[in-house]
Amino acid sequence: MTENLNKTLRCFALDGEPVSCEIYGCGHINVTYLAVTASGRRYILQKINDRTFRDVDGLMENISRVTQFLRTRTDDPRSILTLVPTLSGESWLRNEEGCWRVYDFVENSLCLQLPESPADFYESAEGFGRFQQLLSQFPADTLHEVIPNFHNTPDRYRIFHEVLEKDPMGRAAALQPDIEFFLRREEEMATLQNMRVSGTLPTRVAHNDTKLNNVLLDAETRKALCVIDLDTVMPGLSLYDYGDSIRFGAATAAEDEKDLSKVTMSLELFRIYTKGFLHACPGLTDAEVQMLPMGAKTMTLECGLRFLTDYLDGDHYFSIHYPDQNLDRARTQIKLVQDMEEKWQTMKEIVEEERK
Ligand code: ADP
Ligand code: GN1
Ligand code: MG
């Protein structure tokens, strides 16, 4: 453990002296550490990415309020993230190195990068669906919009066009087929945003980043335990949460798989997640249920567009571990969208079957 990490940890109300602190997990945005104290207690220390999240006060206020609200709805303390305050009672710390927060480590839990069985994926749907359902009683408009237009797909296209125009790395020429893939679908991909603006789809409290690795399963029962990574909890659509889960978890390969023949959207996993989400979230409107396939397609395409935009821009947003990783990520999302287009009719039929 470096002296600086030790100093940072000592500012929080931990149970004992910190004895180790190591990099942990696979997130693309924050820097996460696993910290252990002399008493053996484990904690998650996170350096909050304040380039991505400009309003750290607003973000932490959202997380504090949402976790407090959820705590009134459950008896199991492990099912909700618990913030550890600083010694002066704040929910986060700013020092010379950045912005920091600490959570209790959720013990005896599993964090999966790909489902190990359909049952695991079903549980993730129960977890995110329940989260959404419980928060349907929380006043969405009182939350800070920590990243404005986060899932406003037309706005993501606007940024894409800007970067494409500048082409700061000179990368666009070699990527014409990829670029055209996104351009051909620009109009269709405004559907959800238009329905949100017109009020056809209700604005709800959404998690907005429902990757499988953002829900912990209980290691013993393998049931959904705790939804984590609450940075992007803000007003949104239920379809963002459903769609992002399909994008990541119904894929048959990793988000940066180079062999695209391995990348498909599993209809079996699509069905399983749909079943779990509809079960856990009985309050969805007819319009929401009908648009579930469009949620999956839009979130996948939007994420691919964001990866490609970041690649064209020189990889400033998503953490990368090798040079072309964002391009690989963009291409898996393209492949998934193509596969969904081929399976479109069946996806719609599955939703109809599972809603009964
Ligand atoms: P990022 O925004 O960078 O994705 P996350 O908040 O998702 O950061 O944390 C990264 C990883 O750390 C998670 O995928 C999970 O493995 C682990 N993690 C985060 N919070 C906890 C926690 N309270 N208990 C156990 N593991 C956690
Ligand atoms: C980021 O923080 P993480 O790794 O859970 C991103 C999501 C993307 C995802 C793609 C705040 O999520 O929007 O869908 O990467 N989070 C933010 O893997 O931009
Ligand atoms: Mg995460």
Side-chain angles (χ1 to χ4, degrees):
M1 170 173 44
T2 65
E3 193 38 51
N4 283 342
L5 284 173
N6 191 4
K7 211 174 76 199
T8 300
L9 281 166
R10 284 164 180 272
C11 296
F12 288 87
L14 305 180
D15 175 39
E17 298 292 308
V19 292
S20 72
C21 185
E22 306 294 335
I23 284 277
Y24 189 77
C26 311
H28 296 344
I29 303 294
N30 297 310
V31 187
T32 301
Y33 300 87
L34 171 63
V36 186
T37 61
S39 67
R41 273 281 288 275
R42 304 204 291 172
Y43 297 91
I44 288 285
L45 168 72
Q46 281 183 321
K47 185 171 177 194
I48 304 166
N49 185 329
D50 58 353
R51 272 177 51 128
T52 301
F53 301 107
R54 303 274 171 174
D55 175 14
V56 178
D57 265 319
L59 168 123
M60 292 305 297
E61 192 184 307
N62 282 356
I63 296 181
S64 302
R65 289 186 59 221
V66 163
T67 51
Q68 269 167 31
F69 178 89
L70 291 172
R71 202 154 282 122
T72 64
R73 300 283 191 282
T74 171
D75 302 327
D76 179 1
R78 280 166 72 231
S79 70
I80 298 157
L81 279 179
T82 303
L83 280 165
V84 177
T86 65
L87 293 176
S88 53
E90 307 294 331
S91 62
W92 65 286
L93 171 82
R94 185 191 290 278
N95 63 17
E96 316 74 60
E97 287 176 73
C99 304
W100 303 88
R101 71 176 160 225
V102 172
Y103 289 115
D104 280 342
F105 188 87
V106 180
E107 296 291 351
N108 301 317
S109 64
L110 294 172
C111 176
L112 302 177
Q113 303 306 321
L114 277 179
E116 285 169 13
S117 71
D120 289 343
F121 197 43
Y122 179 86
E123 281 304 318
S124 75
E126 285 275 352
F128 286 125
R130 195 183 311 140
F131 184 83
Q132 166 101 200
Q133 182 70 25
L134 288 175
L135 288 169
S136 63
Q137 290 146 29
F138 187 98
D141 54 359
T142 63
L143 289 173
H144 299 276
E145 203 178 347
V146 284
I147 304 181
N149 294 312
F150 191 55
H151 287 313
N152 177 342
T153 314
D155 198 63
R156 294 290 183 183
Y157 268 102
R158 180 185 64 72
I159 299 166
F160 175 64
H161 284 289
E162 264 176 32
V163 172
L164 199 53
E165 181 80 14
K166 291 199 193 108
D167 192 18
M169 310 298 288
R171 287 175 167 173
L175 303 175
Q176 282 313 308
D178 306 280
I179 292 168
E180 273 159 28
F181 179 88
F182 290 106
L183 295 181
R184 276 200 300 276
R185 288 159 180 80
E186 182 164 0
E187 204 181 312
E188 184 196 4
M189 288 299 107
T191 308
L192 292 190
Q193 180 62 22
N194 292 340
M195 292 175 82
R196 181 171 171 185
V197 171
S198 70
T200 317
L201 293 171
T203 295
R204 299 180 181 277
V205 178
H207 180 283
N208 288 305
D209 187 6
T210 51
K211 296 199 284 197
L212 183 66
N213 61 15
N214 284 334
V215 60
L216 304 176
L217 305 187
D218 187 300
E220 267 163 44
T221 62
R222 286 191 98 95
K223 297 275 181 214
L225 178 61
C226 181
V227 171
I228 62 169
D229 202 346
L230 305 179
D231 294 324
T232 49
V233 173
M234 55 183 158
L237 297 178
S238 59
L239 299 172
Y240 300 158
D241 286 1
Y242 169 85
D244 199 45
S245 288
I246 299 291
R247 171 190 85 72
F248 189 85
T252 52
E255 202 179 49
D256 58 357
E257 174 61 56
K258 284 177 183 296
D259 179 354
L260 292 178
S261 69
K262 293 186 183 155
V263 183
T264 61
M265 192 223 36
S266 154
L267 282 171
E268 183 195 7
L269 292 175
F270 177 82
R271 182 187 290 279
I272 290 276
Y273 195 91
T274 305
K275 191 192 281 297
F277 199 75
L278 289 173
H279 178 254
C281 224
L284 295 183
T285 65
D286 276 352
E288 287 176 295
V289 176
Q290 215 179 347
M291 295 307 282
L292 290 175
M294 186 56 98
K297 180 173 174 182
T298 307
M299 293 304 292
T300 308
L301 184 135
E302 182 193 278
C303 196
L305 184 72
R306 293 172 62 200
F307 288 142
L308 191 65
T309 303
D310 198 32
Y311 183 70
L312 290 168
D313 200 29
D315 306 301
H316 299 303
Y317 188 87
F318 295 104
S319 303
I320 52 166
H321 305 104
Y322 59 85
D324 285 350
Q325 193 172 13
N326 273 322
L327 179 60
D328 290 340
R329 289 171 176 154
R331 288 183 168 155
T332 59
Q333 305 306 293
I334 290 177
K335 177 70 196 300
L336 285 171
V337 170
Q338 287 169 332
D339 198 39
M340 288 181 198
E341 287 175 346
E342 280 170 26
K343 294 171 174 165
W344 196 243
Q345 197 48 38
T346 316
M347 287 166 70
K348 284 172 46 179
E349 284 161 19
I350 289 174
V351 169
E352 285 311 312
E353 285 160 22
E354 294 303 332
R355 78 189 300 185
K356 286 183 187 128

